[in-house]
Amino acid sequence: MIKVINRVEGSYALGVLCSDYPDRFIAVRKASPMIVGLGENENFIASDVTAILKHTRNIYYLEDNEIVVLQKDSVKVYNTDKEEVKKDVFTVDWDVSAAEKGGYEHFMMKEIEEQPKALQNTISPRIKDGRIVLDDISLTARDIKNINKIYIVACGSAYHVGVVGKYLIEKMCRIPVEVQVASEFRYCDPIVGKNDLVIVISQSGETADTLAALREAKDHGARILSIVNVVGSAIANASDDVIYTWAGPEIAVATTKAYSTQLAVMYLISTYMAEKLGMLTSGEYARLVNDIEALPDKVAEILKSKEDVQYLASKFYNCHSIFFIGRNLDYAVSLEGSLKLKEISYIHSAAYAAGELKHGTISLIEDGTLVIALATGRELFDKTVSNVKEVKARGAVVMGVTTTEHTNMEDVADYVVKIPTIHEMLLPSLTVIPLQLFGYYMASLKGCDIDKPRNLAKSVTVE
Ligand code: BG6
């Protein structure tokens, strides 16, 4: 096996049986997920903990090219120098039901409904006596002051969290932030070096493009801080610092609770860094911390009126093309709302910066085109309202998503979804909820396979 893996290129997760040794098999991984399950008189390998949770909670997380020899009553791990490696046993603490539907029709709705708890589990361990405490990271105030530039690198919905992160960090910390999809970052010979911080976001911690981008950044000497939902995953293991999202296992391919908890960690990091940089008064800091702690209840409040969104979906599920528009943080969320709709209902959709419509895209608007306009921020509300009027004038049907604070969206939009108010910086966490529900109900009404959409995988561990 050592001879083989010294010759094999690429990523792999192998379990090898040999008829000469029927009582054992050998396993090895490289840049592909694999864990070892330690049972009673039985041992396992699997790509994910959820696959073996019914049999054992005790597992080994494997590093790349660690070779495991499994027999029913023994598991030995070796490095490529044939030296036995001492592995710590990790005991999984979430219960089996976390990986089951629990009475919901789909994992996706279960996970949408779990968001208040997931947010609570992610936020509360990191706020003590009104202060953000990030024990998970070794980033000192001095390190933060020396940051030259921040890159945020991820794929899919995790990338959309990065777009929110850019607005937050630049607004609050005045540090330049560049957000890139991992598949581009890894091949663009990035201008990144030792004074740069690269924030890597990944639910699975195994996405091949994101892992490769992390390695590219590390090779350039950058410091890696990752936001990951799976403990012991490849991205977590390869980072200098990891902040885990405690969302629990996310089964539905289209992420919801992992996205929301990643946003929460982004708020914690942005506020933590801004405070260390002296960019916040104590009052501003206290208000942010207070509102971050209020997020779970605010999300729960929105979920109570999910049937309102179901009603709207019943009016639009036959649409062939739906546009999402917004400005600043609302634009960042419109990207996620559009992706949610596309990936599970297969309806074409696009997200545009509302101010960009007039530069070409508005030609796509015709009679009856549905435009979902996100206008939750104060400063740009009127600007987005004027974009709503522009598309209305060209025949669009408009669904506005705004806060209870704005009372004149009803004057311009055909339908209005209201969310509660909160600190402006935290609005994405509330705005996204109706959009997750909208995508879910549209897909449900179209009879799509919501948890396992066609052509998609929960974690893309290949290029
Ligand atoms: C896609 C998932 O395959 O990968 C998305 O369907 C996800 O939901 C994206 O956002 C990135 O995955 P991860 O695990 O790196 O966050």
Side-chain angles (χ1 to χ4, degrees):
M1 184 56 99
I2 290 171
K3 285 197 186 89
V4 164
I5 62 176
N6 284 335
R7 292 179 59 190
V8 169
E9 289 180 14
S11 60
Y12 48 79
L14 303 174
V16 179
L17 295 166
C18 173
S19 53
D20 303 343
Y21 300 90
D23 66 335
R24 69 194 66 188
F25 68 90
I26 296 182
V28 67
R29 56 155 288 184
K30 183 179 173 205
S32 269
M34 181 191 280
I35 49 105
V36 176
L38 305 164
E40 295 295 320
N41 230 10
E42 58 181 4
N43 294 300
F44 309 81
I45 55 168
S47 59
D48 192 297
V49 172
T50 40
I52 55 153
L53 206 56
K54 282 195 176 69
H55 307 286
T56 179
R57 297 174 175 284
N58 297 324
I59 61 171
Y60 285 156
Y61 286 111
L62 293 178
E63 303 286 336
D64 281 352
N65 286 342
E66 285 185 330
I67 296 151
V68 195
V69 180
L70 292 99
Q71 293 174 276
K72 73 175 185 175
D73 52 5
S74 97
V75 175
K76 293 203 182 311
V77 182
Y78 300 90
N79 60 24
T80 48
D81 296 328
K82 281 193 192 172
E83 295 154 347
E84 191 167 349
V85 175
K86 179 87 187 74
K87 296 295 286 183
D88 295 333
V89 178
F90 183 88
T91 302
V92 176
D93 57 6
W94 35 266
D95 54 39
V96 180
S97 65
E100 285 161 4
K101 285 184 190 167
Y104 286 90
E105 190 182 355
H106 302 105
F107 278 111
M108 185 175 174
M109 182 51 85
K110 177 184 177 223
E111 287 155 10
I112 286 173
E113 293 277 11
E114 282 177 342
Q115 290 182 112
K117 177 114 179 59
L119 284 165
Q120 189 68 38
N121 293 345
T122 301
I123 292 166
S124 49
R126 289 149 177 155
I127 294 181
K128 295 188 178 79
D129 304 327
R131 294 199 57 77
I132 295 172
V133 177
L134 294 183
D135 292 337
D136 341 50
I137 63 175
S138 55
L139 212 53
T140 64
R142 185 182 154 74
D143 295 335
I144 295 167
K145 288 186 177 77
N146 290 336
I147 292 173
N148 174 42
K149 179 175 178 180
I150 294 177
Y151 278 88
I152 305 179
V153 178
C155 300
S157 298
Y159 164 74
H160 296 154
V161 171
V163 180
V164 171
K166 171 183 170 65
Y167 285 115
L168 294 177
I169 295 171
E170 289 193 342
K171 179 94 177 163
M172 295 166 71
C173 305
R174 309 310 293 159
I175 300 172
V177 180
E178 187 168 334
V179 200
Q180 280 202 331
V181 290
S183 53
E184 288 298 305
F185 179 89
R186 65 183 291 195
Y187 292 119
C188 72
D189 195 9
I191 303 169
V192 61
K194 64 181 174 49
N195 290 331
D196 297 328
L197 174 66
V198 175
I199 299 177
V200 175
I201 308 173
S202 176
Q203 186 285 130
S204 64
E206 300 289 351
T207 298
D209 282 323
T210 309
L211 182 59
L214 181 158
R215 293 204 166 113
E216 176 72 14
K218 217 165 177 177
D219 291 349
H220 281 70
R223 185 191 185 113
I224 311 294
L225 163 61
S226 63
I227 303 174
V228 178
N229 194 44
V230 177
V231 175
S233 54
I235 287 170
N237 289 342
S239 303
D240 298 303
D241 288 303
V242 189
I243 299 186
Y244 284 113
T245 48
W246 302 117
E250 188 175 64
I251 312 297
V253 164
T255 179
T256 49
K257 63 176 183 173
Y259 169 90
S260 287
T261 52
Q262 288 162 0
L263 277 184
V265 170
M266 197 49 83
Y267 303 142
L268 292 168
I269 293 173
S270 313
T271 308
Y272 179 84
M273 291 199 298
E275 199 255 350
K276 297 289 180 205
L277 292 168
M279 307 295 278
L280 294 172
T281 65
S282 54
E284 287 166 337
Y285 180 76
R287 186 160 163 255
L288 268 162
V289 171
N290 177 67
D291 281 23
I292 291 171
E293 285 190 300
L295 274 173
D297 289 345
K298 296 274 187 178
V299 168
E301 188 183 326
I302 300 170
L303 288 170
K304 283 191 194 113
S305 51
K306 66 185 188 182
E307 280 72 23
D308 298 348
V309 178
Q310 186 173 24
Y311 164 71
L312 290 171
S314 69
K315 300 178 77 63
F316 297 116
Y317 72 99
N318 286 315
C319 285
H320 296 293
S321 189
I322 296 175
F323 294 92
F324 290 75
I325 63 171
R327 289 170 179 261
N328 200 282
L329 289 172
D330 283 326
Y331 167 61
V333 179
S334 67
L335 293 167
E336 178 60 11
S338 176
L339 177 61
K340 282 277 109 21
L341 181 71
K342 282 181 282 198
E343 58 187 344
I344 59 175
S345 74
Y346 314 146
I347 294 173
H348 174 265
S349 169
Y352 288 105
E356 186 60 11
L357 279 173
K358 54 188 169 301
H359 303 296
T361 329
I362 204 161
S363 64
L364 294 172
I365 304 297
E366 51 196 20
D367 254 1
T369 302
L370 175 61
V371 175
I372 299 177
L374 309 186
T376 61
R378 281 195 200 98
E379 193 184 337
L380 298 170
F381 179 79
D382 292 338
K383 298 282 183 201
T384 306
V385 165
S386 65
N387 298 134
V388 169
K389 289 174 183 169
E390 280 167 18
V391 295
K392 283 289 295 168
R394 287 147 177 94
V397 172
V398 175
M399 181 197 306
V401 180
T402 188
T403 67
T404 48
E405 189 178 59
H406 296 298
T407 53
N408 53 342
M409 180 58 91
E410 284 80 352
D411 304 339
V412 289
D414 302 283
Y415 304 90
V416 179
V417 176
K418 287 285 179 86
I419 60 172
T421 56
I422 198 165
H423 192 290
E424 290 248 328
M425 292 286 126
L426 313 181
L427 280 167
S429 292
L430 305 187
T431 315
V432 77
I433 303 300
L435 306 185
Q436 293 171 344
L437 291 166
F438 187 72
Y440 174 86
Y441 287 123
M442 295 284 273
S444 175
L445 287 160
K446 288 191 66 184
C448 297
D449 183 345
I450 289 173
D451 287 334
K452 294 196 286 293
R454 67 185 182 202
N455 311 339
L456 290 179
K458 182 59 186 166
S459 172
V460 180
T461 57
V462 294
E463 274 211 51

